[in-house]
Amino acid sequence: MSNKYSDLPEGDKPDISYGPALIIRLLKFLKPHKRLILISSLLIIVSTGIELLMPVITRYAVDSYLVSYHIRMNTVHMPAEFLQKLSGITKDMKVLQSENEWYIHEKYWRKFDPSFAAQLRKSGVVDLKRWYLAPEKPEALKYARSRPDIFTKAGNSYLISEDNLENLNSEELTRLRFSDAAGLVIMAVLYLVCAVLILIVSYYQNVNLEKAGQNMIMDMRLYLYEHILSRSLLFFSRNPVGKLVTRINNDSQKIADLFRNMLTGLFKDIFLFAGIAIVMFALNPRLAAVCMAIVPVMAAITAFFSRFSKQIFRRIQGYTGRLNTMLQEALSGLAAVKLTGSESFLLQKLFNLNTNHYRAGIAQTKMFAVFTPLMELVGAFAVALIVWYGGGKVIQDRLSLGTLVAFISYMEMLLIPVRDLSDKYNYLQEAISSTERIYTLLDDQDTLEINNGKIPESVNDIVFESVSFGYNENEDILQNFDLAIPAGQKVTLVGPSGGGKSTLVNLLLRLYDPGKGSIQFGGMDLKSIHPQELSGFAALVSQEIILLSSTLEYNITLGRDFITNEMLLNAVEISGISGWLNDLSDGLQTRIGEGGRQLSQGQFQMISLARALAGDPGLLILDEAFSRIDPETEKIIYSKLPTIMKGRTCVTVAHRIASARKMDRIIVIRDGKIAEDGSHDALIESGSIYAGMVELERIQQNN
């Protein structure tokens, strides 16, 4: 079954409407790690709460220990109605009074109605100087009593004007303001403790979240790998290897990064934004409203740039996939490229593709080169608004300096989640693009049905019954094909290229399912047999062999646990490997393949044969397996064929007609049909297609 998204070129927008459902579907990869995520989420809340506390500490330090002053009012010259109103306002406030003067702390003064405060100032009863209250500490009170020239007594308290306070020397300031200094030390230590707590909490939060992220990406890649392995070969004909590698590595990494950023970043940013907004409105609603006015501007800028970001991200990912595909194909076929002198052509293609990738990357850089400074400019404008509006309120005694400092700190903190939310949105666009590409693979249902049937042990006759099959929907290679191979028979398939020989082998190994008809093993439909059951019964030796960068032993066993040491040594002996095994320094433990010892083509074929024989298969298929080996190696292998085929059903696809003579049965396949069927001698006597092929090969050898 073809998937409608699989044929899309790299970088193109899928014709798909997943929407938010994409993220919901991805949550299943996080579910197994919910404990780690929950712990990380709780730690994020804790660290964010501590961060919100730090500007409050700064505000308290400024207002309580740095600039804690009183306003002095002369009640002698105050109009009676003002005094009456003032008495009503201050009845619940702590007011210091002398014979003719009232001292009111600035925090209470700021609560006065602005118009009444202005009237008091206009009437001249409000002193332009601010007054500092001597702490109720023995040392401070003793010093204040000793200096009646600069201190004024109000009740049991002593106050000094701001200008006289500034004229004190360091020793006098220490005696007077020791408690303020001690309070600042406590605030500084508390601030430092908060910073250390954030460091510790963030460490454990990041470690737990990284564990969840790494586990998630591992699960996702294994899931993708398992899904890809379960596809039919038609799937791989539409999806090149480089593209699939990009999906498994690059795209899954981007999705895992998104979840990590969403949890550490987005969740924290939302919580921090909400916390800052609540605290700011609690401190001063009007100034908070001024700060929040900047948020819609940032949201509009983000929305504008996001229109372009997703397209750019998709282009970059698309060209990355194409580059991976091209490099994989070029390096795997490097010998052919060199032999044909196509290096310059290949380099030109690579240059063009790399240029497109470069241009997409530059487009992304230009976008962020405008977007990021623009967001910084808006943030700077927001801070300027706070300084202008809040500073004016401080001058008017409507806002404390500590509150202004706290607001600037909170605004700096607020810009972080706002900028981060903007960045996360762009990352989200990039991840959605990757997710779309991954789900075009995951939603591809072009796979073979899996059942749990087992191959009958007693009768293993192979029967093709009215089989029709084609790699393309409109072109069948086989039509109503019938063939029966009794258990234990040795059969050779010969015929012109493209006639259907390898197609029969592919169907026999169930790399594809027939479009019509059925293939039966011992009377059981091949579709009902479990793939592992079939892989244990049938083995293929082809002209192409892939060696892993590992030991010779592992390249033969491929990790199959059921292969005993006796089975391994038997396969080594029968395949002919034993003839050159002693030449290897470490025997079966010698590393071969990429990064290891290089072997000849004939040795490759022997390893391929040993790999097939090690599992002691009931059905052995040789698909032009020895067409590339040298005559000496071929002679060695053919001398062992009777032993190799003994007790097995054998199907060979013959490239050289001479190799078919020793088979029980020769089947000539032509145009997807059986043109001839019989023994070597019978077909020679018939004088038809097979006899002509034998004669043609004899003439070629003589020439």
Side-chain angles (χ1 to χ4, degrees), residues 627-699:
S627 59
R628 297 183 179 180
I629 60 177
D630 59 276
E632 183 178 351
T633 304
E634 182 181 21
K635 183 178 180 180
I636 294 173
I637 293 178
Y638 274 106
S639 68
K640 296 180 177 292
L641 276 182
T643 306
I644 292 172
M645 296 182 176
K646 184 178 180 181
R648 298 185 173 94
T649 303
C650 294
V651 176
T652 67
V653 176
H655 176 74
R656 299 173 182 173
I657 302 300
S659 63
R661 299 185 180 188
K662 298 180 180 180
M663 297 298 172
D664 300 334
R665 182 179 175 191
I666 298 171
I667 301 175
V668 180
I669 305 295
R670 188 174 186 178
D671 297 330
K673 298 178 181 179
I674 297 178
E676 294 179 357
D677 185 353
S679 66
H680 171 78
D681 293 337
L683 292 179
I684 289 294
E685 290 180 5
S686 66
S688 54
I689 300 174
Y690 178 74
M693 295 171 67
V694 172
E695 180 62 22
L696 179 60
E697 185 174 286
R698 185 187 66 80
I699 294 173

Side-chain angles (χ1 to χ4, degrees), residues 5-276:
Y5 308 126
S6 302
D7 298 324
L8 291 171
E10 288 286 318
D12 291 349
K13 180 180 178 180
D15 182 17
I16 197 168
S17 299
Y18 282 127
L22 275 176
I23 305 301
I24 295 174
R25 290 179 68 178
L26 287 173
L27 289 178
K28 70 176 183 179
F29 293 107
L30 285 176
K31 189 175 180 180
H33 317 295
K34 58 185 178 182
R35 179 177 172 273
L36 289 173
I37 294 171
L38 178 60
I39 294 174
S40 297
S41 301
L42 292 175
L43 292 175
I44 287 172
I45 294 174
V46 172
S47 65
T48 305
I50 298 174
E51 285 186 53
L52 291 173
L53 180 63
M54 295 173 76
V56 174
I57 295 174
T58 304
R59 173 178 176 260
Y60 185 82
V62 171
D63 288 345
S64 298
Y65 301 113
L66 288 179
V67 289
S68 179
Y69 292 107
H70 285 67
I71 301 296
R72 185 174 74 171
M73 287 179 288
N74 189 320
T75 57
V76 174
H77 302 292
M78 186 180 295
E81 66 273 17
F82 283 8
L83 183 59
Q84 182 180 3
K85 187 174 182 179
L86 185 62
S87 298
I89 294 173
T90 60
K91 64 180 181 178
D92 296 325
M93 299 178 182
K94 184 179 180 180
V95 179
L96 303 177
Q97 298 180 11
S98 64
E99 183 177 355
N100 297 318
E101 295 167 339
W102 283 16
Y103 294 87
I104 299 175
H105 197 281
E106 284 183 322
K107 66 180 179 181
Y108 298 132
W109 174 259
R110 285 188 287 269
K111 295 181 180 179
F112 283 21
D113 179 81
S115 60
F116 180 56
Q119 289 174 349
L120 288 173
R121 287 188 180 278
K122 189 176 181 180
S123 67
V125 300
V126 178
D127 192 350
L128 297 179
K129 301 176 183 178
R130 297 188 301 171
W131 292 77
Y132 173 74
L133 176 65
E136 295 181 358
K137 302 293 181 181
E139 184 70 19
L141 292 176
K142 180 180 178 181
Y143 174 72
R145 293 189 193 102
S146 68
R147 297 293 304 271
D149 56 322
I150 56 175
F151 279 90
T152 300
K153 186 176 181 181
N156 295 323
S157 301
Y158 292 86
L159 298 102
I160 183 173
S161 64
E162 187 177 13
D163 54 350
N164 282 329
L165 182 67
E166 292 175 351
N167 292 327
L168 298 178
N169 59 43
S170 60
E171 182 181 352
E172 292 172 324
L173 282 173
T174 300
R175 294 175 62 187
L176 179 64
R177 304 197 66 177
F178 179 79
S179 59
D180 288 336
L184 288 174
V185 170
I186 293 173
M187 291 298 103
V189 171
L190 185 58
Y191 196 93
L192 182 61
V193 168
C194 289
V196 173
L197 286 176
I198 290 175
L199 176 65
I200 295 172
V201 172
S202 298
Y203 169 79
Y204 286 104
Q205 166 228 310
N206 288 326
V207 168
N208 281 283
L209 200 57
E210 187 64 25
K211 286 181 180 178
Q214 290 299 326
N215 286 331
M216 175 192 173
I217 192 172
M218 182 175 67
D219 293 345
M220 179 178 290
R221 283 174 173 167
L222 288 175
Y223 185 82
L224 276 170
Y225 187 59
E226 182 180 10
H227 177 83
I228 290 172
L229 286 182
S230 66
R231 302 305 93 189
S232 72
L233 289 187
L234 288 174
F235 170 86
F236 294 95
S237 66
R238 295 191 305 269
N239 296 281
V241 173
K243 173 182 174 181
L244 298 178
V245 170
T246 302
R247 296 291 185 274
I248 294 175
N249 289 337
N250 299 43
D251 290 331
S252 61
Q253 181 65 55
K254 291 182 185 298
I255 294 172
D257 289 345
L258 170 71
F259 273 106
R260 285 205 300 268
N261 290 331
M262 291 280 275
L263 286 169
T264 51
L266 185 59
F267 178 67
K268 181 177 180 178
D269 290 344
I270 292 174
F271 189 78
L272 184 62
F273 182 86
I276 290 173

Side-chain angles (χ1 to χ4, degrees), residues 52 269-270 272-277 280 288 290-295 298 382 386 407-421:
L52 291 173
D269 290 344
I270 292 174
L272 184 62
F273 182 86
I276 290 173
M280 290 174 75
V290 172
C291 296
M292 291 299 164
I294 212 71
V295 175
M298 288 185 165
I386 294 176
F407 259 87
I408 293 175
S409 298
Y410 279 126
M411 194 65 221
E412 292 290 344
M413 292 173 63
L414 184 67
L415 292 175
I416 295 174
V418 170
R419 284 194 297 262
D420 284 352
L421 285 171

